[in-house]
C-alpha cells in the first residue's frame, strides 16, 4: 500500500519540475543562478523577458534562445527582492523623507525640483557698491547724458590737473565774483582737461579698451600748455553751464593726443572727440543754460581778474605728466615719458 501511494506523488513532483524548468532533465533550481558578476546581464534579460512573457499572471516568462538556464528565475527573484526592500524602506521612513528621496532621484526635469538662486558676480554685473542711481538729487541735480543700463560704464579720457594753493586762491576770486551774476555757481572739486567725450563701454570692453590706449599713448612725452583765457561753456544737451580757462598755447600736442584716443574709440565704434575742440580746464558749474548771464560784462570782469592776478602767467602754465581713463569708478593711469 505504501508503494502505491508514493507513485502519484513522484509523478506530481516530476510534472512540477517539468513546468518550472521547461523539461524534466534540467538542473535543480538551486543550480540555476547566473555566474557571479553577471548581475547586470541577468537584470537586463529579466526585464526583457518579464515584459514579453506569455504565461499566467505571476509566472516568469520564457527564456530567450541562447540565454543560460535559470537566468529568468534569478532576475525575477532579484526584482521581487528589490521591491520588498523598497516597500520596507517606505514603511520605515516618514512622508518627509520619502519626498526628499523623490526630489533627489527624479532628475532635472522634475516639476517639484526647487529653483536654485542665480549666482552673483557674473561677468558684466556691477560689483557691490558700483550700482548707479539715476536720482539727480543725489549728485547736485546733474542729469545723465544717456540712460544708465546694467553693465554699461561711463568712460572718459583726460589729463588730470594737480592744483597749487595759489590756483585755489584765484579760483575763489573768480567764483565769488561770478556768483554776483549767477548765485547757483559751484566750484569744481577736481580739475582736468578732456581728451574724449563721455562714452559708454560694456563691462567686457574695458580691459581691451585700456590695453589699446596704453599701446597708442606709450610714446608721448610730458609737455606744457598755457590755459589763461576765461570762457563760458555749456554741455551738449544744455543742462549745465561751465566757466573754464581755455588753452591759448599747446594745441599741437593736445591734438596729437586726441588723434590717438580717437583711433581707439573708432576701434570700439564709439563717438570721437569734437572736430574743432576748445581745450579748457573747467572751474565752476551750475544747472541749466545760464550762459547768457555769464557772457558779456561778467566774462570781461573775470578775464580782468585773471590778468591782474600775481604771477598768473607762471601759475597758468601747466605741465602734463599723465593721462587717465575713468570707467565707472575705476581709474587707469598712463604716465607720459
Amino acid at each position: 500500500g505504501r508503494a502505491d501511494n508514493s507513485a502519484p506523488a513522484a509523478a506530481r513532483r516530476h510534472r512540477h519540475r517539468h513546468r518550472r524548468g521547461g523539461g524534466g532533465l534540467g538542473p535543480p533550481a538551486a543550480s540555476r543562478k547566473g555566474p557571479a558578476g553577471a548581475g547586470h546581464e541577468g537584470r537586463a534579460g529579466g526585464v526583457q523577458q518579464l515584459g514579453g512573457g506569455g504565461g499566467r499572471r505571476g509566472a516568469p516568462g520564457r527564456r530567450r534562445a541562447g540565454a543560460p538556464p535559470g537566468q529568468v528565475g534569478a532576475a525575477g527573484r532579484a526584482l521581487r527582492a528589490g521591491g520588498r526592500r523598497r516597500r520596507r524602506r517606505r514603511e520605515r521612513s516618514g512622508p518627509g523623507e520619502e519626498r526628499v528621496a523623490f526630489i533627489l532621484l527624479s532628475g532635472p526635469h522634475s516639476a517639484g525640483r526647487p529653483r536654485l538662486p542665480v549666482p552673483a558676480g557674473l561677468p558684466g554685473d556691477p560689483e557691490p557698491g558700483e550700482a548707479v542711481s539715476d536720482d539727480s538729487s543725489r549728485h547736485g541735480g546733474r542729469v545723465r547724458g544717456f540712460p544708465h543700463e546694467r553693465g554699461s560704464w561711463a568712460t572718459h579720457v583726460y589729463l588730470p590737473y594737480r592744483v597749487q594753493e595759489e590756483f585755489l586762491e584765484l579760483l575763489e576770486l573768480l567764483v565769488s565774483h561770478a556768483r554776483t551774476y549767477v548765485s547757483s555757481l559751484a566750484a569744481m572739486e577736481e580739475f582736468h582737461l578732456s581728451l574724449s567725450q563721455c562714452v559708454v563701454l560694456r563691462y567686457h570692453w574695458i580691459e581691451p579698451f585700456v590695453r589699446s590706449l596704453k599701446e597708442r599713448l606709450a610714446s608721448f612725452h610730458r609737455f606744457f600748455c598755457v590755459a589763461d583765457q576765461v570762457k563760458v561753456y555749456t554741455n551738449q544737451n544744455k543742462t549745465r553751464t561751465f566757466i573754464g580757462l581755455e588753452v591759448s598755447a599747446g594745441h599741437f600736442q593736445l591734438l596729437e593726443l586726441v588723434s590717438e584716443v580717437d583711433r581707439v574709440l573708432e576701434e570700439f565704434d564709439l563717438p570721437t572727440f569734437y572736430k574743432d575742440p576748445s581745450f579748457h580746464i573747467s572751474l565752476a558749474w551750475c544747472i541749466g543754460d545760464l550762459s547768457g548771464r555769464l557772457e558779456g560784462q561778467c566774462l570781461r570782469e573775470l578775464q580782468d581778474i585773471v590778468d591782474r592776478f600775481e604771477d598768473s602767467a607762471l601759475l597758468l602754465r601747466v605741465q602734463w605728466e599723465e593721462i587717465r581713463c575713468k570707467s565707472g569708478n575705476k581709474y587707469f593711469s598712463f604716465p607720459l615719458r
Side-chain angles (χ1 to χ4, degrees), residues 289-326:
D289 182 4
L290 302 179
S291 56
R293 299 187 192 178
L294 296 172
E295 291 174 341
Q297 181 65 29
C298 178
L299 188 59
R300 289 191 292 271
E301 294 171 356
L302 295 177
Q303 184 63 57
D304 187 57
I305 293 174
V306 170
D307 293 340
R308 291 188 291 106
F309 190 79
E310 185 179 0
D311 296 329
S312 63
L314 182 61
L315 177 62
L316 299 179
R317 185 173 182 265
V318 183
Q319 182 181 24
W320 304 112
E321 299 180 351
E322 67 170 319
I323 302 169
R324 284 186 191 169
C325 174
K326 180 179 183 291

Side-chain angles (χ1 to χ4, degrees), residues 12-329:
R12 287 196 300 272
R13 285 195 297 271
H14 176 76
R15 287 195 297 271
H16 182 63
R17 286 197 301 271
H18 182 79
R19 285 196 302 271
R20 291 183 59 188
L25 300 178
S31 65
R32 293 175 190 167
K33 297 179 180 179
H40 178 73
E41 290 85 350
R43 286 193 298 273
V47 169
Q48 293 175 2
Q49 293 154 28
L50 289 174
R56 58 185 173 83
R57 183 172 180 175
R62 293 185 178 182
R63 175 172 56 87
R64 72 177 187 273
Q71 185 175 8
V72 175
R77 284 192 295 276
L79 290 172
R80 287 193 294 273
R84 286 194 296 272
R85 286 194 295 270
R86 286 192 293 272
R87 284 194 297 274
R88 286 196 295 270
R89 281 198 296 268
R90 284 197 297 268
E91 292 170 358
R92 287 195 299 267
S93 63
E97 298 176 6
E98 192 171 328
R99 183 177 182 276
V100 171
F102 171 77
I103 291 174
L104 292 176
L105 297 175
S106 58
H109 301 291
S110 170
R113 183 185 182 210
R115 186 181 298 274
L116 297 175
V118 177
L122 295 176
D125 288 347
E127 298 176 4
E130 292 180 352
V132 183
S133 171
D134 283 329
D135 184 4
S136 61
S137 64
R138 299 181 61 183
H139 36 82
R142 288 173 291 179
V143 180
R144 289 182 179 277
F146 44 83
H148 171 67
E149 296 179 5
R150 186 179 180 86
S152 298
W153 295 59
T155 303
H156 179 217
V157 182
Y158 61 94
L159 292 161
Y161 176 45
R162 297 183 180 88
V163 300
Q164 304 175 14
E165 184 177 353
E166 292 83 357
F167 180 86
L168 295 178
E169 293 176 3
L170 174 60
L171 176 66
E172 185 178 357
L173 290 175
L174 293 171
V175 173
S176 60
H177 186 79
R179 279 176 179 161
T180 61
Y181 292 87
V182 176
S183 60
S184 59
L185 274 171
M188 303 293 291
E189 297 180 357
E190 295 181 355
F191 304 90
H192 66 270
L193 187 149
S194 294
L195 298 176
S196 79
Q197 300 186 60
C198 186
V199 298
V200 179
L201 272 181
R202 300 296 294 173
Y203 179 81
H204 56 278
W205 291 354
I206 295 176
E207 183 178 348
F209 182 85
V210 171
R211 185 168 57 247
S212 185
L213 275 179
K214 182 178 180 180
E215 292 172 357
R216 290 195 172 275
L217 300 175
S219 62
F220 283 88
H221 293 262
R222 300 178 182 183
F223 65 97
F224 289 91
C225 74
V226 177
D228 58 358
Q229 300 299 306
V230 183
K231 193 169 182 179
V232 177
Y233 299 90
T234 58
N235 60 354
Q236 283 184 317
N237 51 8
K238 306 292 185 180
T239 59
R240 283 189 287 168
T241 304
F242 300 86
I243 296 175
L245 289 175
E246 186 182 26
V247 171
S248 60
H251 282 87
F252 178 75
Q253 293 90 335
L254 293 172
L255 288 172
E256 282 190 325
L257 285 176
V258 168
S259 176
E260 294 302 318
V261 174
D262 278 351
R263 291 185 181 182
V264 177
L265 293 167
E266 289 172 347
E267 290 176 14
F268 292 84
D269 198 24
L270 295 171
T272 57
F273 204 41
Y274 308 109
K275 295 303 179 183
D276 187 18
S278 173
F279 296 109
H280 64 277
I281 301 171
S282 293
L283 303 176
W285 67 280
C286 64
I287 295 294
D289 182 4
L290 302 179
S291 56
R293 299 187 192 178
L294 296 172
E295 291 174 341
Q297 181 65 29
C298 178
L299 188 59
R300 289 191 292 271
E301 294 171 356
L302 295 177
Q303 184 63 57
D304 187 57
I305 293 174
V306 170
D307 293 340
R308 291 188 291 106
F309 190 79
E310 185 179 0
D311 296 329
S312 63
L314 182 61
L315 177 62
L316 299 179
R317 185 173 182 265
V318 183
Q319 182 181 24
W320 304 112
E321 299 180 351
E322 67 170 319
I323 302 169
R324 284 186 191 169
C325 174
K326 180 179 183 291
S327 187
N329 62 357

